Amino acid sequence: MTDAEGPSLSTDTAQRIVEALLFATPVPLTEAEILAYLPEPLPVLPLLRALQTDYAGRGVQIEEHGGRWAVRTAPDLGRYLQRLQIKPKTLSQAALETLAIIAYRQPVTRAEIEQIRGVTVSRGTLDLLVDTGWVRPRGRKAVPGRPVTWVTTPAFLDHFDLQSLDDLPRLEELTGAGLFDALAAGSDEPDEKD
Amino acid sequence: MTDAEGPSLSTDTAQRIVEALLFATPVPLTEAEILAYLPEPLPVLPLLRALQTDYAGRGVQIEEHGGRWAVRTAPDLGRYLQRLQIKPKTLSQAALETLAIIAYRQPVTRAEIEQIRGVTVSRGTLDLLVDTGWVRPRGRKAVPGRPVTWVTTPAFLDHFDLQSLDDLPRLEELTGAGLFDALAAGSDEPDEKD
Amino acid sequence: MSDSSPLSEPLAESDEDALIVAVEGFSGPLDLLLALARKQKVDLTKVSILTLVEQYLAFLDAALARRLDLAADYLVTAAWLAYLKSRLLLPAPSEPEAEEALALAEALTQRLQRLEAIRGGVVQLQARPRLGVERLARGAPEGLAVNTVDGFTTTLPELLRAYGASLARAKSTKLRMARPEVVPIDVARDGLRERLQAQRDWLALEDALPARLRSANLARSAKASGFAAALELARMDEAELRQEAAFTPLYVRSTGRRRET
């Protein structure tokens, strides 16, 4: 190029140029294309091979595909180049209540949940609970219409650090804990329950 | 991450991950950002410093600009890579002077820039500099009118290969006379434009 | 002007602001003054302000003669410089005024130095190994992905509280609204008859009902039913009603007659 450099390009400089070139190129380059960047003709392949050896085992490597050369991150590191970001989300009151009813009354149909909550349970609420991985449908109830019944999953127990469903505090245990202030004493389990 | 890997990440693997991250990222990364990609917390700075040493004298190098890290081709190779160069958007003298004033005097208000240049700074000039990503508004000055002040960004440091603002080329004319301090007080140009 | 006039070597600048009328490529009076000062080929601190002022004024005269459209800035500066020149030339009437003139000249020199310094900074910055020119970034970065996943969180107490809330609501839905107590008209009529028989004189309607019908929660209903009952008894000629004026108490008295219903 324009430079009034000594008559001969050192192999070291040539190698550095090729390294920088492979790094900066937006598309993989052929040997001929690489040669065109060198200020004087030099065998390109040995330079590429030497670089390839240099980078072996590093976080990036020199790759050749169909006669074109490029720098690429090492394939085994691919999983580290994506960061998992957990966006904490809280459940709505409706979802929490539905989850609680499923936990205590399982297996339970949607109609039964609605009867307890006194309001309609939207399809979306159940879908959301399925998304959390804490709730799943299981079988159908042998009543007219054969409605789907809902149960909790092992992930539910896991999240709440419960060994089994029996570990869920019973209502009698809760009334004293201030959690059930709204509940008058006695008759906590109303109606249905087949 | 979810990986069932051994209890501890080897330094070698950590180094490879950091290397791959720096090659794969389209924008310079802070240490905290790099840390977020590591499967377990490790001191990042020593890894970066080690990489920097590894790459010293090669065709690409590890650079730090304003606390952000990136891989860049070695500056002396620029002349060989001309065909890959991005034609820089040529800034007008007005824009360059404004940029220099912001760089040397930050945080600086538009009125202060105008005082130094002796002409109105058009809205367009600042917009253009913001477009380059080198300049951004930061807060307001506690003077009447509460004008916005302008500062340079890490991208500015990266563009001009400065590690920090302390690396700005020294201006002999400025160092001796305490010129800027002296004139900041002497409100010779009270003309506030819009 | 001489052939070394700054007019012959315009400084390239095109400020985007349309309000600034570029004078032969100068971005403003200070820019022009700096170019003129450089003509003196001395250190800016040693620039002859008088010479500079002369040159500036001569430049403007030439520009005006050529009918260049001068921005107001140039003329304002010209006026200021003419004033400065007069202060520098004429013997100052007092010491402070002489000092003021020198201070003004000094300030001008410093402004020129400052602009020159910044321009030096521009040159030095441009000489740095710039990104995208001397230093290149990765041409095809793989990119880093951020995979956002929704992680739902809740706690056992929250779950239990929700259960409690839903059960509590289930209970409350079974509440029955109590039917409001009223005094039926026939009860009021019988009560009224009873009182009027016992007491043959005028009675305020409020007092004419039996005490048991005058309890607080029945008062409104008793008043309404009592009034209706009194009207009914009057219609049947069993009682007569009297009122002094509108909104005053209503009095009721038995006529002594009794009609069997």
Side-chain angles (χ1 to χ4, degrees):
Chain A
M1 265 187 191
T2 52
D3 246 76
E5 195 155 30
S8 123
L9 183 72
S10 75
T11 312
D12 183 54
T13 305
Q15 183 123 335
R16 292 179 68 231
I17 295 172
V18 175
E19 185 179 22
L21 193 54
L22 292 181
F23 171 82
T25 180
V27 291
L29 299 172
T30 63
E31 283 166 52
E33 284 163 348
I34 293 168
L35 185 62
Y37 279 91
L38 296 182
E40 55 189 77
L42 266 177
V44 173
L45 193 58
L47 295 172
L48 287 165
R49 292 269 178 242
L51 268 178
Q52 208 164 27
T53 310
D54 272 3
Y55 275 97
R58 298 194 64 107
V60 291
Q61 57 191 32
I62 311 293
E63 293 180 7
E64 187 231 327
H65 299 289
R68 294 183 173 270
W69 296 76
V71 184
R72 291 280 181 259
T73 54
D76 65 308
L77 299 178
R79 58 185 168 159
Y80 297 112
L81 303 187
Q82 38 188 287
R83 183 159 51 110
L84 203 62
Q85 201 174 57
I86 294 170
K87 211 167 92 200
K89 277 187 124 178
T90 51
L91 292 176
S92 66
Q93 181 66 18
L96 268 175
E97 287 185 19
T98 304
L99 176 63
I101 292 166
I102 294 172
Y104 277 93
R105 304 292 184 88
Q106 60 190 300
V108 64
T109 66
R110 184 160 144 192
E112 288 163 348
I113 297 168
E114 289 177 346
Q115 202 180 347
I116 297 168
R117 290 198 56 224
V119 288
T120 311
V121 172
S122 74
R123 181 82 237 161
T125 302
L126 281 169
D127 285 348
L128 183 79
L129 289 175
V130 169
D131 278 350
T132 63
W134 297 335
V135 155
R136 66 179 177 87
R138 196 189 67 192
R140 294 177 178 277
K141 193 169 177 178
V143 295
R146 298 185 37 75
V148 168
T149 62
W150 298 88
V151 295
T152 56
T153 64
F156 168 84
L157 295 177
D158 207 28
H159 183 85
F160 294 101
D161 198 21
L162 301 167
Q163 291 293 319
S164 73
L165 288 173
D166 293 338
D167 286 355
L168 272 176
R170 286 196 307 279
L171 286 184
E172 307 91 85
E173 298 173 296
L174 296 173
T175 41
L179 293 167
F180 276 62
D181 287 346
L183 263 186
S187 83
D188 40 86
E189 309 278 295
D191 28 309
E192 89 295 346
K193 195 82 182 177
D194 19 308
Chain B
M1 237 162 242
T2 53
D3 250 77
E5 198 153 28
S8 121
L9 186 72
S10 76
T11 311
D12 183 56
T13 305
Q15 183 116 340
R16 291 181 68 230
I17 294 172
V18 174
E19 186 178 22
L21 282 169
L22 291 180
F23 271 76
T25 182
V27 292
L29 298 175
T30 64
E31 282 167 51
E33 284 163 349
I34 292 168
L35 186 62
Y37 283 90
L38 294 184
E40 56 188 79
L42 268 178
V44 173
L45 192 61
L47 298 171
L48 287 163
R49 292 261 181 251
L51 270 176
Q52 208 166 28
T53 310
D54 273 4
Y55 275 94
R58 299 192 64 106
V60 294
Q61 57 190 29
I62 313 290
E63 299 181 358
E64 186 216 340
H65 303 286
R68 292 170 186 273
W69 296 77
V71 188
R72 302 287 181 241
T73 60
D76 65 306
L77 300 177
R79 57 188 169 170
Y80 300 111
L81 305 174
Q82 279 172 14
R83 267 181 290 154
L84 288 177
Q85 286 170 3
I86 301 148
K87 196 159 191 322
K89 196 174 180 185
T90 44
L91 291 177
S92 66
Q93 180 67 17
L96 283 170
E97 284 181 21
T98 303
L99 176 63
I101 292 167
I102 294 171
Y104 281 95
R105 301 290 314 273
Q106 59 189 296
V108 64
T109 67
R110 186 156 147 193
E112 289 163 346
I113 298 168
E114 290 176 345
Q115 202 190 348
I116 295 170
R117 292 198 58 232
V119 289
T120 309
V121 172
S122 74
R123 188 80 241 164
T125 301
L126 280 169
D127 285 352
L128 188 75
L129 289 175
V130 169
D131 275 352
T132 61
W134 298 338
V135 154
R136 66 178 178 90
R138 194 190 66 194
R140 295 178 176 278
K141 193 169 176 175
V143 295
R146 298 185 35 76
V148 167
T149 63
W150 299 86
V151 295
T152 56
T153 63
F156 164 81
L157 296 176
D158 190 11
H159 184 85
F160 291 104
D161 194 21
L162 304 165
Q163 250 196 55
S164 72
L165 289 174
D166 294 338
D167 284 354
L168 277 173
R170 299 211 72 74
L171 307 179
E172 314 110 51
E173 295 88 342
L174 296 179
T175 50
L179 210 48
F180 281 76
D181 306 330
L183 284 162
S187 59
D188 36 313
E189 207 90 329
D191 52 349
E192 196 92 9
K193 313 280 152 87
D194 43 308
Chain C
M1 303 200 84
S2 69
D3 53 358
S4 70
S5 155
L7 287 170
S8 59
E9 40 174 276
L11 299 178
E13 161 152 4
S14 53
D15 204 309
E16 295 83 352
D17 199 314
L19 288 174
I20 298 290
V21 180
V23 176
E24 299 289 314
F26 291 104
S27 65
L30 202 60
D31 186 21
L32 171 57
L33 278 167
L34 184 57
L36 291 169
R38 284 215 196 92
K39 289 279 152 231
Q40 297 186 15
K41 291 193 170 46
V42 290
D43 185 340
L44 270 184
T45 55
K46 300 186 180 74
V47 149
S48 160
I49 292 295
L50 271 183
T51 311
L52 188 59
V53 172
E54 302 275 12
Q55 285 175 338
Y56 183 89
L57 297 175
F59 177 89
L60 278 209
D61 280 348
L64 287 170
R66 296 196 303 144
R67 295 188 187 166
L68 285 181
D69 198 3
L70 281 182
D73 290 11
Y74 286 87
L75 301 174
V76 171
T77 305
W80 185 81
L81 288 175
Y83 166 77
L84 176 60
K85 179 183 165 187
S86 70
R87 298 300 300 272
L88 290 171
L89 285 179
L90 300 174
S94 71
E95 185 79 356
E97 284 181 52
E99 273 176 17
E100 191 207 342
L102 287 174
L104 286 174
E106 170 83 352
L108 178 58
T109 309
Q110 287 194 341
R111 289 197 68 188
L112 294 175
Q113 275 179 276
R114 192 172 58 170
L115 183 58
E116 175 115 314
I118 280 298
R119 290 192 171 162
V122 168
V123 171
Q124 291 201 61
L125 274 180
Q126 291 289 85
R128 305 274 318 162
R130 289 160 298 168
L131 183 64
V133 186
E134 286 82 12
R135 290 151 52 248
L136 299 181
R138 180 93 186 272
E142 284 92 348
L144 299 175
V146 177
N147 298 331
T148 325
V149 291
D150 289 340
F152 289 97
T153 56
T154 184
T155 60
L156 196 55
E158 260 181 339
L159 185 74
L160 300 174
R161 223 169 265 128
Y163 190 43
S166 68
L167 293 188
R169 197 175 42 243
K171 270 190 170 285
S172 65
T173 55
K174 289 182 181 150
L175 276 177
R176 295 282 178 272
M177 290 295 282
R179 183 169 294 190
E181 274 188 273
V182 293
V183 177
I185 289 182
D186 50 345
V187 172
R189 187 186 55 211
D190 293 345
L192 199 57
R193 264 184 186 147
E194 203 179 301
R195 287 275 287 163
L196 292 180
Q197 298 297 332
Q199 181 134 9
R200 287 307 183 110
D201 205 0
W202 288 102
L203 271 178
L205 184 59
E206 279 86 352
D207 303 327
L209 286 172
R212 62 188 157 83
L213 295 183
R214 280 185 265 149
S215 66
N217 57 337
L218 286 177
R220 289 161 65 88
S221 174
K223 196 170 188 176
S225 299
F227 178 62
L231 289 179
E232 193 185 343
L233 292 179
R235 183 178 60 79
M236 295 190 296
D237 199 25
E238 285 188 33
E240 50 189 354
L241 295 173
R242 176 168 68 86
Q243 189 178 28
E244 302 295 335
F247 305 114
T248 57
L250 202 60
Y251 292 92
V252 59
R253 183 175 67 171
S254 170
T255 55
R257 287 178 281 275
R258 173 72 184 265
R259 245 208 237 166
E260 290 313 319
T261 47

